[in-house]
Amino acid sequence: MRTVLLLRHAKSSWKHPDLSDHDRPLNKRGKRDAPRMGRLLKKENLVPDIIISSTAMRARATAEAVAKASDYKGDITFNRSLYASGPQAYIDSMHDLSDDYVRVLIIGHNPGLEELVEMLTGEIHLMPTCSLAHVDKWSDIDYKIKGQLAEIWRPRDLF
């Protein structure tokens, strides 16, 4: 059985209106919250076997901060198709993963992540920036998968 962890990127900055949406960096709150989620993964024994992230600057920075704070030792795979996409792109990114990857962390964007949580679990959950959903008990990505929501964490809950 596999576990998928779905993390919405941390809060981004709007200070530079000349930057494209893809190139927006994290703001102060985002730089604080991303390592919190990494420490949470470590504390909950949920450090992933692989991290797949959107290529957007805010998602990349989130991925790097989470990886460092969780003591993740692997590579981070950056996937352009996860930027501004629906749930199918996330499923596609997991489809051909080796069975060696039991715990997968995917970092991306709304509304795609909220839609994916609903698709996988049948439950509707709001995922503000840097929210982490832990979906357990799915065994194969066959485009009709169902999992079970084990937990959802939001930064405001981690004080």
Side-chain angles (χ1 to χ4, degrees), residues 7-57:
L7 178 64
R8 184 175 174 199
H9 64 79
K11 187 76 173 160
S12 61
S13 173
W14 291 90
K15 279 186 179 180
H16 306 284
D18 53 317
L19 288 177
S20 72
D21 180 69
H22 189 271
D23 295 331
R24 287 188 295 115
L26 296 180
N27 70 9
K28 185 177 178 180
R29 188 172 94 196
K31 290 176 185 175
R32 178 198 69 202
D33 288 346
R36 280 184 177 172
M37 286 302 172
R39 290 189 294 274
L40 174 74
L41 290 174
K42 186 174 179 180
K43 177 184 165 207
E44 297 288 328
N45 293 316
L46 291 172
V47 176
D49 299 315
I50 186 170
I51 297 175
I52 303 169
S53 173
S54 161
T55 56
M57 179 70 70

Side-chain angles (χ1 to χ4, degrees), residues 34-35 45 50 54 64 67 82-83 90 95 105 108-109 127 129 132 150:
N45 293 316
I50 186 170
S54 161
E64 290 162 359
L82 300 182
Y83 174 71
Y90 295 94
H95 189 265
L105 171 60
H109 311 268
M127 292 190 63
T129 53
L132 175 68

Side-chain angles (χ1 to χ4, degrees), residues 18-130:
D18 53 317
L19 288 177
S20 72
D21 180 69
H22 189 271
D23 295 331
R24 287 188 295 115
L26 296 180
N27 70 9
K28 185 177 178 180
R29 188 172 94 196
K31 290 176 185 175
R32 178 198 69 202
D33 288 346
R36 280 184 177 172
M37 286 302 172
R39 290 189 294 274
L40 174 74
L41 290 174
K42 186 174 179 180
K43 177 184 165 207
E44 297 288 328
N45 293 316
L46 291 172
V47 176
D49 299 315
I50 186 170
I51 297 175
I52 303 169
S53 173
S54 161
T55 56
M57 179 70 70
R58 59 195 179 274
R60 292 177 75 98
T62 300
E64 290 162 359
V66 166
K68 183 176 180 181
S70 69
D71 290 333
Y72 171 74
K73 303 295 183 209
D75 293 326
I76 300 171
T77 300
F78 295 101
N79 187 331
R80 176 92 180 168
S81 70
L82 300 182
Y83 174 71
S85 61
Q88 193 63 50
Y90 295 94
I91 290 172
D92 290 346
S93 74
M94 294 184 285
H95 189 265
D96 293 323
L97 287 178
S98 164
D99 289 339
D100 295 337
Y101 300 123
V102 175
R103 188 174 300 119
V104 179
L105 171 60
I106 300 183
I107 301 169
H109 311 268
N110 270 350
L113 282 180
E114 287 177 346
E115 293 169 0
L116 181 58
V117 168
E118 182 178 2
M119 181 185 288
L120 294 177
T121 67
E123 300 177 30
I124 297 171
H125 292 277
L126 296 178
M127 292 190 63
T129 53
C130 217

